[in-house]
Amino acid sequence: MNDGSKEVVLSDEFINTIWIFFKSKLSKRTQQEYFAVIKSFVKITGKDPLKITQQACEQYVTYLRTRMESNRLSYTTALMRISVMRTLCEYIKYTMNEKGYDYINYFNDISLPDIDKTLKEDMLPSTDELNNLLELTKNNSDSMAFLIFSLIIKCGLTSSEISNLNIEYIVLDINNNICINFPPKKGVSRIIKLPDDISKLIDKYIEANNIYEGAVFLNKRHTRLKVRDAERILNKYILIGQENGLIKKHFTMQSMRHASIQYMLKGGASEQAVANYTGITTKWMSRYRRVVNSALLADAADYNIRSEERRVGKECRSRW
């Protein structure tokens, strides 16, 4: 791995002959994602993609696997990064061959091993770690982080749902319960009844921050909070917790959501109820059975889902 003693930059040849093509074909957001992956590859291996070697390719994949094993990178993100490098190198190969030069796309022979979809206990944060995480945000008077983490832990929201949450999605059902009504996907709506404590938190947060329309969560640039912004916030508090001995292992927003689902099932909710509440298909619920049937103590709070499978009223109206 590059020791960082000398920064490696992309060559002018790469920028002017290769990247200019992708820049003309990709959307601005996809350009940023591709360029971030390419820069990461260069930083890790010290190799410009035009000068790629099999060793550099293997070094990068080893880096991704290490990150995955330490729970710092998801399997899908690792696949995406390999796919980006494979696509990039395939275009370089085409342009090089057109000029009469040999170029090997080593990423064509690279694949990640299939992962075990069954969750393991050591993959999930413990209740103590989650409670300490929330306590750290409270001690830092970070109401946004506290609310974001609470929505994941107690309601099973995904990082994308956190990022995409608009105030317009927060509604009242026919019983005046505060709910989140996400727009339909493939004709299916997802309505999440919020626990009373979360309802009070989100009400207070919106009032304190004078949010009248659009995104509920904003970043430091006062634009919509992106998934990577939320991940940086989580990583900051995990690092603080590890330094203080309050958090033992690194975990992601995704593993926090997995823990949330585990606690719902442990609390007595049926797989169907949890699947409906968290917006996943029942075929994936089997991956949680092993951790739920283990000796893990799930002493988290009331998730408003129990064996009677309380249902949210179908008619909703705006909260504000």
Side-chain angles (χ1 to χ4, degrees):
M1 184 176 297
N2 183 27
D3 62 8
S5 58
K6 182 179 179 181
E7 183 180 1
V8 180
V9 296
L10 290 163
S11 65
D12 290 339
E13 183 182 2
F14 174 84
I15 297 296
N16 296 328
T17 63
I18 304 299
W19 181 244
I20 194 171
F21 168 79
F22 285 91
K23 194 172 181 181
S24 68
K25 299 294 183 181
L26 303 176
S27 67
K28 187 172 181 180
R29 179 177 178 179
T30 307
Q31 285 179 39
Q32 293 173 341
E33 292 173 349
Y34 265 56
F35 204 68
V37 173
I38 296 166
K39 286 203 303 183
S40 172
F41 173 82
V42 174
K43 180 179 179 182
I44 298 305
T45 66
K47 287 289 185 181
D48 186 292
L50 288 172
K51 307 292 185 182
I52 198 170
T53 62
Q54 184 173 0
Q55 181 182 8
C57 179
E58 292 173 351
Q59 184 179 359
Y60 183 65
V61 174
T62 298
Y63 165 79
L64 296 180
R65 286 174 174 165
T66 301
R67 297 275 292 179
M68 286 170 52
E69 290 168 1
S70 61
N71 210 20
R72 292 173 179 268
L73 186 71
S74 71
Y75 181 76
T76 52
T77 300
L79 282 179
M80 179 274 292
R81 294 183 181 182
I82 290 177
S83 177
V84 167
M85 292 305 301
R86 184 181 293 122
T87 301
L88 172 73
C89 293
E90 194 61 24
Y91 179 71
I92 295 176
K93 177 183 176 182
Y94 168 78
T95 58
M96 288 292 195
N97 291 167
E98 284 287 296
K99 296 176 182 179
Y101 299 114
D102 290 331
Y103 183 91
I104 300 175
N105 182 0
Y106 295 104
F107 280 98
N108 279 335
D109 299 322
I110 292 294
S111 62
L112 290 176
D114 291 336
I115 57 172
D116 182 1
K117 297 295 184 180
T118 303
L119 295 174
K120 298 178 176 60
E121 294 176 22
D122 58 4
M123 296 171 60
L124 304 180
S126 67
T127 53
D128 284 342
E129 287 176 315
L130 293 177
N131 287 332
N132 288 337
L133 176 71
L134 292 172
E135 196 65 29
L136 287 170
T137 63
K138 287 179 64 177
N139 293 340
N140 203 35
S141 300
D142 193 340
S143 59
M144 183 174 76
F146 185 85
L147 179 56
I148 288 173
F149 299 157
S150 297
L151 285 168
I152 297 173
I153 296 168
K154 298 197 70 175
C155 303
L157 265 64
T158 68
S159 54
S160 295
E161 288 171 338
I162 293 292
S163 174
N164 294 327
L165 182 60
N166 287 342
I167 192 171
E168 292 82 5
Y169 302 163
I170 302 173
V171 297
L172 294 173
D173 69 3
I174 56 177
N175 298 315
N176 284 326
N177 298 307
I178 296 181
C179 308
I180 298 177
N181 184 15
F182 284 106
K185 285 187 177 180
K186 298 181 180 180
V188 179
S189 297
R190 183 179 174 208
I191 302 175
I192 302 171
K193 178 183 175 182
L194 300 181
D196 292 340
D197 56 343
I198 301 296
S199 296
K200 293 176 183 177
L201 279 175
I202 202 165
D203 219 5
K204 182 179 179 181
Y205 177 83
I206 288 172
E207 182 178 352
N209 289 277
N210 298 314
I211 302 170
Y212 301 106
E213 61 180 359
V216 172
F217 300 114
L218 302 177
N219 57 29
K220 292 181 179 179
R221 300 177 295 280
H222 300 289
T223 59
R224 181 181 296 276
L225 187 83
K226 295 181 174 60
V227 171
R228 61 177 176 270
D229 297 324
E231 289 171 344
R232 288 193 199 100
I233 294 171
L234 174 60
N235 290 337
K236 180 183 78 171
Y237 282 107
I238 287 178
L239 180 59
I240 294 172
Q242 289 176 328
E243 290 174 346
N244 295 330
L246 300 173
I247 296 175
K248 295 181 180 179
K249 58 178 173 290
H250 189 279
F251 51 86
T252 64
M253 297 180 75
Q254 184 180 40
S255 54
M256 287 170 63
R257 172 173 152 86
H258 289 324
S260 167
I261 293 172
Q262 171 211 333
Y263 298 144
M264 292 179 193
L265 292 170
K266 192 77 171 178
S270 70
E271 289 187 1
Q272 183 65 58
V274 175
N276 292 340
Y277 190 73
T278 56
I280 60 179
T281 57
T282 52
K283 72 176 183 178
W284 287 110
M285 295 307 297
S286 61
R287 67 193 305 210
Y288 298 97
R289 288 174 187 152
R290 194 166 84 79
V291 293
V292 170
N293 292 331
S294 73
L296 275 181
L297 174 66
D299 57 355
D302 180 2
Y303 287 97
N304 280 352
I305 299 184
R306 288 296 181 265
S307 56
E308 66 265 29
E309 301 181 15
R310 303 173 188 170
R311 297 186 180 275
V312 177
K314 292 184 178 179
E315 296 180 10
C316 295
R317 65 185 187 278
S318 175
R319 174 70 179 86
W320 285 273

